């Protein structure tokens, strides 16, 4: 087990790299503040960026990632699991097939995202793989855990648990975190093998 404390560092740990969904409008980086890694302007949290990091290492069934995070008034902090990432035309890394386990004010959604480069306006196909409805309050600390067991994701969001299966979950995968759709704060990531 390894824990990365984003309240005590000023750069992404060397075990991770920045990587982005193919539809990300820009390739922004985290700001490191007293509260942790943030994706927003501290003067105006309405100004936020999509920011995503992923493990360099690939994991297998039995691996578990836990992120402690929050969102200001609307946001979608998420765990990302991908089969591969590769350089885009600008040299930034972009996800291939990936899954997003998203915490939001209405609970948790799981998205299966498939590269679809022929569609230039939005180069992905997005399929909803699962969800669970419950409330997450603004600025509430979220403990978001995903354990991969074969073709199933065992998900726990602040004690709200469910299982989501998908035949496309890869046997070997990278694990990471994305700050998305609002002002997000990341406090720590723990990965267990």
């Amino acid at each position: 087990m390894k824990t990365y404390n984003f309240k005590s560092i000023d750069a992404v740990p060397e075990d991770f790299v920045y990587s982005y969904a193919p539809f990300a409008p820009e390739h922004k980086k985290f700001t490191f503040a007293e509260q942790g890694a943030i994706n927003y302007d501290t003067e105006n949290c309405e100004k936020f960026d999509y920011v995503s990091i992923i493990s360099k290492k690939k994991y297998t069934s039995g691996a578990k990632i836990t992120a402690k995070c929050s969102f200001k008034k609307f946001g979608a902090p998420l765990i990302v699991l991908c089969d591969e990432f590769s350089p885009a035309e600008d040299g930034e890394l972009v996800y291939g097939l990936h899954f997003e386990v998203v915490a939001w004010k209405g609970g948790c959604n799981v998205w299966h995202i498939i590269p679809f480069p022929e569609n230039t306006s939005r180069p992905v196909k997005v399929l909803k793989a699962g969800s669970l409805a419950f409330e997450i309050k603004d600025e509430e600390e979220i403990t978001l855990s995903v354990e991969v067991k074969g073709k199933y994701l065992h998900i726990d969001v602040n004690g709200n648990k469910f299982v989501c299966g998908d035949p496309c979950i890869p046997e070997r995968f990278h694990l990471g975190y994305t700050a998305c759709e609002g002002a997000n704060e990341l406090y720590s990531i723990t990965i267990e093998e």
Side-chain angles (χ1 to χ4, degrees):
M1 177 170 64
K2 190 163 186 180
T3 297
Y4 306 88
N5 183 351
F6 287 81
K7 291 183 178 184
S8 64
I9 58 175
D10 59 5
V12 169
E14 64 180 24
D15 294 342
F16 293 87
V17 292
Y18 285 100
S19 187
Y20 304 88
F23 54 82
E26 297 179 280
H27 298 143
K28 299 288 189 160
K29 311 294 187 209
F30 278 118
T31 297
F32 293 88
E34 183 179 324
Q35 62 267 44
I38 62 174
N39 70 328
Y40 60 90
D41 182 334
T42 55
E43 300 298 314
N44 178 7
C45 68
E46 299 295 324
K47 294 181 181 179
F48 63 88
D49 297 307
Y50 171 102
V51 183
S52 190
I53 58 173
I54 195 79
S55 66
K56 293 177 183 176
K57 179 178 178 174
K58 276 192 166 181
Y59 296 91
T60 58
S61 181
K64 179 179 180 181
I65 181 170
T66 301
K68 291 188 183 274
C69 53
S70 68
F71 56 80
K72 287 289 188 190
K73 66 177 185 179
F74 179 81
L78 63 96
I79 297 293
V80 62
L81 174 154
C82 76
D83 64 348
E84 294 293 342
F85 48 84
S86 58
E89 288 181 14
D90 65 0
E92 295 288 350
L93 299 175
V94 176
Y95 297 128
L97 176 142
H98 60 290
F99 289 84
E100 296 180 343
V101 180
V102 184
W104 66 293
K105 66 181 180 178
C108 184
N109 290 328
V110 182
W111 301 101
H112 176 184
I113 302 174
I114 305 161
F116 183 37
E118 308 87 86
N119 185 2
T120 55
S121 62
R122 186 160 168 89
V124 292
K125 286 184 183 178
V126 179
L127 306 171
K128 192 171 193 178
S131 65
L132 184 65
F134 55 93
E135 182 183 10
I136 299 177
K137 295 179 181 170
D138 296 348
E139 301 190 34
E140 174 183 357
E141 184 170 309
I142 302 164
T143 300
L144 172 58
S145 294
V146 178
E147 183 174 4
V148 182
K149 293 184 178 180
K151 299 296 181 182
Y152 293 90
L153 303 177
H154 291 251
I155 300 160
D156 184 340
V157 186
N158 290 352
N160 299 282
K161 300 178 182 183
F162 68 109
V163 177
C164 179
D166 192 296
C168 294
I169 294 171
E171 290 184 14
R172 292 174 42 79
F173 46 84
H174 302 275
L175 293 169
Y177 170 87
T178 302
C180 184
E181 294 182 17
N184 290 232
E185 297 179 355
L186 172 61
Y187 310 128
S188 68
I189 292 175
T190 300
I191 298 180
E192 303 171 61
E193 294 187 62

